[in-house]
């Protein structure tokens, strides 16, 4: 976010704090919200899981070492075999990631060449105009829907005010693109991990990251080059670092208070929360 996007794409290192802060803040909010995802389902019936969970709570480090040794014994491969397999898996993963990036970059290019982009551009601008965003952000938005790198780069090059570029770039980074989603789906294939909460959390974080970007940019002392979202006009705090720090501290304090209240409610058995591994 700081090196590749702020420096490499926008060529403005000072934007790194705005980009990074928007994603850290939105990630913390998403984490708090996901705490309640399926938090009231039925009790865990797996006795083995309960025993392991109890052991882990006593000493997480000794539990991790014990599980590591047990996994090594059950695997049966020598160190040399493990090293070779890890290198092969790493190379395959690199090819996989690169292949998905190329695939979705080609898909985006096909949309541009065939005129499909122009066809759906009219629909997208209907959504952008109420937000005050310019038509120049249509291509970055569509490209970023498929692939994060190309979309972010196009957003940084668009003929639009800096605030517009940052909003779209941060929304794209938070969304991650279908390319990353396909990579994640491939990685978790064959496991019991559900992609549904991941997918919806990407959508929600994209929206939150864009909103947080507006306020951080506005409060950071940067001057908005065109009228954008009238409800944020008139705010101006010259120390963006201080404002970002205040937001971080506020979220952490609120998170600790919420966690403490939930723990108290659980202890006195007013509300039951069940945790899943």
């Amino acid at each position: 976010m700081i090196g590749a996007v702020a420096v490499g794409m926008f060529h403005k290192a000072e934007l790194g704090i705005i980009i990074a802060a928007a994603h850290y803040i939105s990630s913390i909010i998403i984490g708090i919200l996901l705490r309640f995802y399926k938090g009231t389902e039925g009790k865990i019936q797996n006795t083995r899981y309960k025993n392991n969970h109890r052991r882990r709570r006593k000493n997480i480090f000794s539990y991790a070492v014990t599980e590591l040794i047990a996994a090594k014994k059950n695997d049966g491969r020598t160190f040399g075999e493990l090293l070779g397999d890890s290198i092969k898996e790493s190379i395959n993963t690199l090819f996989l990631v690169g292949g998905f990036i190329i695939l979705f970059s080609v898909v985006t290019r096909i949309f541009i060449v065939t005129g499909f982009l122009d066809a759906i551009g009219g629909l997208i601008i209907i959504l952008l105009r109420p937000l005050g965003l310019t038509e120049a952000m249509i291509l970055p938005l569509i490209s970023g829907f498929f692939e994060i790198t190309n979309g972010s780069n196009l957003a940084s090059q668009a003929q639009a005010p800096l605030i517009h570029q940052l909003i779209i770039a941060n929304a794209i980074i938070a969304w991650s693109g279908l390319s990353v989603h396909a990579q994640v789906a491939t990685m978790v294939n064959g496991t019991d991990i559900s992609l549904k909460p991941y997918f919806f959390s990407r959508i929600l974080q994209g929206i939150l990251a864009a909103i947080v970007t507006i306020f951080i940019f506005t409060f950071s002392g940067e001057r908005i080059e065109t009228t954008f979202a009238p409800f944020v006009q008139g705010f101006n705090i010259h120390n963006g670092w201080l404002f970002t720090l205040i937001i971080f501290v506020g979220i952490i304090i609120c998170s600790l208070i919420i966690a403490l209240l939930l723990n108290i409610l659980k202890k006195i058995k007013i509300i039951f929360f069940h945790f899943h591994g």
Side-chain angles (χ1 to χ4, degrees):
M1 291 183 291
I2 297 176
V5 181
V7 178
M9 297 180 185
F10 283 91
H11 306 291
K12 293 182 179 181
E14 61 272 17
L15 295 180
I17 182 62
I18 297 178
I19 296 173
H23 291 288
Y24 282 120
I25 293 172
S26 60
S27 295
I28 292 174
I29 296 174
I30 291 295
I32 295 173
L33 295 177
L34 287 180
R35 161 63 182 82
F36 303 99
Y37 177 73
K38 291 187 177 180
T40 56
E41 286 189 346
K43 293 182 179 180
I44 299 174
Q45 300 297 329
N46 193 319
T47 304
R48 179 181 177 184
Y49 170 81
K50 288 183 177 181
N51 293 334
N52 290 339
H53 183 65
R54 191 176 298 112
R55 286 164 50 203
R56 183 176 61 185
R57 290 185 63 181
K58 290 182 178 179
N59 192 323
I60 190 172
F61 297 105
S62 62
Y63 174 80
V65 173
T66 302
E67 290 297 310
L68 176 65
I69 296 174
K72 176 63 175 64
K73 291 181 180 179
N74 294 332
D75 186 272
R77 287 178 292 176
T78 64
F79 176 79
E81 292 175 324
L82 288 172
L83 180 61
D85 290 343
S86 65
I87 294 175
K88 287 188 290 186
E89 288 294 329
S90 299
I91 298 300
N92 290 335
T93 302
L94 288 176
F95 280 122
L96 177 69
V97 173
F100 275 120
I101 292 175
I102 294 173
L103 171 63
F104 284 98
S105 297
V106 171
V107 170
T108 304
R109 185 60 185 171
I110 291 175
F111 284 165
I112 296 175
V113 173
T114 58
F116 180 74
L117 180 64
D118 296 331
I120 63 176
L123 298 176
I124 296 178
I125 195 60
I126 296 176
L127 300 176
L128 296 183
R129 279 176 180 168
L131 300 176
L133 296 172
T134 63
E135 296 184 13
M137 307 314 300
I138 294 178
L139 178 58
L141 196 59
I142 295 177
S143 179
F145 176 78
F146 293 100
E147 209 283 310
I148 181 175
T149 305
N150 290 335
S152 301
N153 190 40
L154 288 173
S156 67
Q157 298 174 359
Q159 297 299 315
L162 180 59
I163 178 64
H164 295 197
Q165 295 175 338
L166 283 175
I167 291 170
I168 296 300
N170 276 346
I172 290 172
I173 295 172
W175 160 248
S176 300
L178 292 182
S179 175
V180 173
H181 295 179
Q183 296 170 36
V184 173
T186 302
M187 296 298 178
V188 302
N189 184 38
T191 70
D192 59 350
I193 299 176
S194 174
L195 286 175
K196 186 183 297 184
Y198 166 79
F199 181 77
F200 285 107
S201 66
R202 293 300 89 215
I203 297 176
L204 182 58
Q205 187 174 352
I207 297 173
L208 289 175
I211 295 174
V212 173
T213 301
I214 297 173
F215 286 98
I216 293 181
F217 187 90
T218 305
F219 285 113
S220 66
E222 299 281 355
R223 289 191 176 273
I224 299 179
E225 296 145 334
T226 62
T227 301
F228 179 83
F231 60 87
V232 300
Q233 298 297 318
F235 295 98
N236 186 23
I237 293 180
H238 297 285
N239 194 335
W241 289 88
L242 177 60
F243 175 69
T244 303
L245 178 62
I246 292 174
I247 293 178
F248 273 124
V249 173
I251 291 179
I252 292 174
I253 292 176
C254 291
S255 301
L256 292 175
I257 293 175
I258 293 174
L260 180 61
L261 291 176
L262 292 175
N263 187 63
I264 293 175
L265 292 174
K266 178 186 173 185
K267 292 295 184 181
I268 60 179
K269 301 184 182 301
I270 293 179
I271 299 177
F272 297 91
F273 292 95
H274 308 284
F275 300 88
H276 296 263

